[in-house]
Amino acid sequence: MRRIAIVGGSLAGVHAAEALRQQGFEGDVTLISAENELPYDRPPLSKEALLSGVAMEKLSLRAPEWYADNAITTRLGNAAVQLDTERRTVLLDDGTAVDYDGLVIATGARARRLPSTRNAPPVQVLRSIEDSLRLRERLRPGQHLVLIGAGFIGLEIAATARQMDLDVTVVEVGRAPLSRALGDEVGDWFRALHARHGVEIVCTCTVETIERRGDGAVLTLSNGRVLNADVVVAGVGASPVTEWLDGSGVQTANGVVCHSDLSTSVPGVVAAGDVARWYNPLFDEEIRVEHWTNAVEQGRRAAHTLLGNGEAFGAVPYFWTDQYEARMRFVGRASAATEVAVKELNDDRLVALYGRDGLVRGAVCVNVPRELARYRTAIRDQVLWDDIAQAQSAIGG
């Protein structure tokens, strides 16, 4: 193996490149990115960067000289449009091709957009630096911001917008914010948190129509309510970037389908990060995780697999979100949980556990960092649900 191509200037892509060099790979490494900027960190885009402006030197994952020092060739502003696994080439949108012996797919995901209709006002999304800059230019104190979707990105934007003195309304189809990810009880806690900061969250409701009115928009909701908005943002999830793989032989289904070691259906091709849907032996299921820590760990593990040092990736997923004074940390899996135990619930702190098949599968902790490590260990060690969920919380005494 003399040439490795990494498609995706993402967190996973950078860590794959770094791991290749650390593992002693001395061949050519080419990092291909559809964006014009060097790879950057995305979590600040809905928080610090939106509030204070984009500082590229703070967002960049690695300094420009790091790529030269590690002999990593970058192809910026070039999207991959086709993969030929027989010839082992990646075709780019400028008509050129990059040859490879080994390939890392790290193209991540893109924000879903609402269907556009004629004369409809612009509905913003937030996924890239350009999105953050564009949205920040639109937000002004005293304006009314309407967010469609009360997931993590929507709630983070809502919290930032309140710091910028905007009026904020969030429209959510579920019973509570984050309820599809973390359940109704945790969702109700976040709804109350935002209410205390002046955000109205309208639940069990959809947007029926969006019409342009001047520089703003008028939204009609399924409950008959009409909202006048200066700015509209959709936070309705993200879709893995896999269309360029059509016809390549690389199996896709809500992401790139991977074995437990992140190898794909095609020899010499691995995947990592938001785009990878892999079999996690710890949870005995195929999952796709769109979170920072997972991208870092998978990028490194995919590089090891490509070099012949692969092993099953059975990590406990971890993610976080900071909203106002609330610092939420989550470990494990909450989806398909059959048991939920709330260990602590007040205005300042929250601890909830999730169980399935008699085991502890997930835990959410808000402003209780010391508890998180204990529950992460319990998930990793597959502790029985009854042994920990029924025990008195260490916080409670």
Side-chain angles (χ1 to χ4, degrees):
M1 189 174 293
R2 298 180 295 108
R3 304 163 300 180
I4 293 179
I6 302 170
V7 182
S10 59
L11 186 63
V14 168
H15 280 271
E18 184 175 63
L20 288 170
R21 292 306 190 209
Q22 290 174 344
Q23 287 292 301
F25 179 72
E26 296 180 350
D28 296 338
V29 176
T30 302
L31 181 67
I32 302 164
S33 177
E35 297 191 67
N36 294 315
E37 298 82 11
L38 286 170
Y40 55 88
D41 210 13
R42 296 185 189 276
L45 296 180
S46 59
K47 299 183 279 289
E48 299 97 324
L50 189 59
L51 181 65
S52 304
V54 172
M56 198 62 209
E57 64 275 11
K58 294 183 179 179
L59 291 180
S60 294
L61 294 173
R62 297 291 184 272
E65 57 269 22
W66 179 86
Y67 298 90
D69 292 344
N70 287 276
I72 295 169
T73 301
T74 57
R75 295 289 303 269
L76 304 180
N78 288 136
V81 295
Q82 187 177 8
L83 175 64
D84 187 332
T85 53
E86 291 187 2
R87 293 184 173 87
R88 296 201 168 195
T89 60
V90 178
L91 181 65
L92 307 184
D93 61 359
D94 65 354
T96 63
V98 175
D99 298 327
Y100 70 87
D101 301 309
L103 177 67
V104 180
I105 300 172
T107 41
R110 65 168 61 90
R112 294 193 186 104
R113 294 181 178 272
L114 298 180
S116 180
T117 59
R118 187 178 181 181
N119 296 323
V123 176
Q124 309 284 327
V125 296
L126 181 52
R127 183 78 183 183
S128 67
I129 282 181
E130 288 83 0
D131 294 336
S132 187
L133 287 169
R134 190 180 305 112
L135 180 57
R136 189 170 188 272
E137 290 174 357
R138 293 289 310 277
L139 300 181
R140 296 289 181 269
Q143 288 185 326
H144 184 202
L145 168 66
V146 174
L147 288 150
I148 303 171
F152 292 108
I153 188 69
L155 295 185
E156 287 176 356
I157 295 172
T160 301
R162 286 299 297 142
Q163 290 181 266
M164 300 171 73
D165 293 324
L166 279 83
D167 294 325
V168 180
T169 303
V170 183
V171 181
E172 166 59 31
V173 67
R175 184 203 165 281
L178 303 176
S179 60
R180 284 173 289 178
L182 300 175
D184 289 347
E185 291 176 288
V186 173
D188 286 337
W189 190 92
F190 275 92
R191 185 177 188 175
L193 169 70
H194 280 267
R196 291 195 298 273
H197 287 83
V199 174
E200 181 186 12
I201 301 180
V202 182
C203 294
T204 61
C205 201
T206 60
V207 175
E208 297 292 298
T209 62
I210 307 176
E211 299 177 353
R212 186 186 299 272
R213 177 171 294 178
D215 292 332
V218 178
L219 296 86
T220 302
L221 307 186
S222 57
N223 63 2
R225 186 173 171 185
V226 176
L227 300 176
N228 293 297
D230 296 292
V231 184
V232 181
V233 178
V236 291
S239 302
V241 179
T242 59
E243 64 278 358
W244 65 284
L245 298 171
D246 291 349
S248 68
V250 175
Q251 183 182 358
T252 61
N254 184 32
V256 176
V257 179
C258 301
H259 304 294
S260 61
D261 65 353
L262 303 177
S263 60
T264 71
S265 56
V266 174
V269 179
V270 297
D274 294 4
V275 75
R277 177 186 170 197
W278 89 106
Y279 174 75
N280 186 319
L282 180 61
F283 297 92
D284 191 27
E285 63 177 327
E286 285 188 349
I287 61 177
R288 188 173 67 84
V289 177
E290 296 179 9
H291 297 299
W292 196 93
T293 303
N294 182 75
V296 171
E297 294 175 346
Q298 282 196 343
R300 302 187 67 82
R301 185 63 60 84
H304 283 241
T305 295
L306 201 56
L307 296 179
N309 304 315
E311 57 184 33
F313 183 71
V316 178
Y318 165 78
F319 67 88
W320 74 89
T321 179
D322 295 338
Q323 301 168 30
Y324 313 111
E325 70 281 0
R327 297 179 178 274
M328 190 214 82
R329 306 293 181 262
F330 182 87
V331 287
R333 298 276 289 164
S335 62
T338 56
E339 304 278 355
V340 180
V342 177
K343 306 291 284 184
E344 180 165 355
L345 184 65
N346 57 51
D347 287 351
D348 301 319
R349 301 194 295 190
L350 166 68
V351 177
L353 303 180
Y354 302 85
R356 192 183 71 195
D357 300 328
L359 301 174
V360 178
R361 291 299 196 179
V364 59
C365 299
V366 180
N367 296 335
V368 194
R370 288 181 297 178
E371 286 289 280
L372 192 73
R374 180 163 72 97
Y375 293 130
R376 189 173 195 173
T377 300
I379 296 166
R380 182 198 64 198
D381 295 345
Q382 297 190 314
V383 172
L384 294 176
W385 172 258
D386 289 342
D387 288 349
I388 196 165
Q390 305 301 325
Q392 188 174 17
S393 171
I395 302 171

